[in-house]
Amino acid sequence: MKKRPINLNLFVIYFPITAIISILHRLSGVFLFLMIPILLFCLQSSLEATASREWDSILNGHLGKGLIWLTLSALFYHLIAGLRHLIMDIGWGESLWVARISAKTILLLGIVYSILLGGWLWY
């Protein structure tokens, strides 16, 4: 008789920091992919002369700034986590200790950048 896993609840399973960084990298990529049509629509609408003033007020409002903040934060995080993956693909930083340090660094850089970007957008 085979032993089957007892608990497959993803909220109970412990994930190491390296797995969390990898999952967040994939989620940020999916988010950026889904944002492409919305951003292209905003760009197209901003280029039309009649709707330019309306989109100016929308993008300068809280909803527009929140959309820009989320997109730029995801883009920066995806960029630095992707660079980490590329460096590890070369063969550098593959030891467990270095991988944990680089994962914590990437997470910290992503949070600091998001806070600084939010402060720049709203103040």
Side-chain angles (χ1 to χ4, degrees):
M1 187 165 152
K2 292 183 181 179
K3 281 194 167 190
R4 294 185 145 190
I6 296 171
N7 190 358
L8 290 178
N9 186 356
L10 294 178
F11 296 107
V12 177
I13 297 173
Y14 170 75
F15 289 108
I17 188 73
T18 53
I20 293 170
I21 295 300
S22 182
I23 292 168
L24 288 176
H25 179 249
R26 292 173 188 206
L27 288 175
S28 66
V30 169
F31 176 75
L32 290 172
F33 178 75
L34 294 176
M35 286 301 296
I36 290 172
I38 296 169
L39 293 173
L40 286 176
F41 175 74
C42 289
L43 178 65
Q44 176 64 33
S45 298
S46 71
L47 294 175
E48 295 174 3
T50 56
S52 177
R53 289 186 206 117
E54 295 172 14
W55 278 103
D56 232 12
S57 64
I58 291 173
L59 289 178
N60 285 328
H62 291 297
L63 180 64
K65 285 183 180 181
L67 181 73
I68 292 169
W69 178 75
L70 280 174
T71 305
L72 289 177
S73 295
L75 181 65
F76 179 75
Y77 178 80
H78 193 75
L79 175 72
I80 60 176
L83 288 174
R84 176 183 174 266
H85 282 291
L86 285 174
I87 290 170
M88 290 180 79
D89 285 343
I90 292 172
W92 297 342
E94 288 183 332
S95 69
L96 185 59
W97 182 75
V98 176
R100 285 181 183 161
I101 296 294
S102 66
K104 290 175 184 176
T105 304
I106 295 300
L107 190 60
L108 182 67
L109 282 174
I111 291 170
V112 167
Y113 176 80
S114 295
I115 292 170
L116 290 175
L117 180 67
W120 179 71
L121 280 174
W122 273 284
Y123 295 109

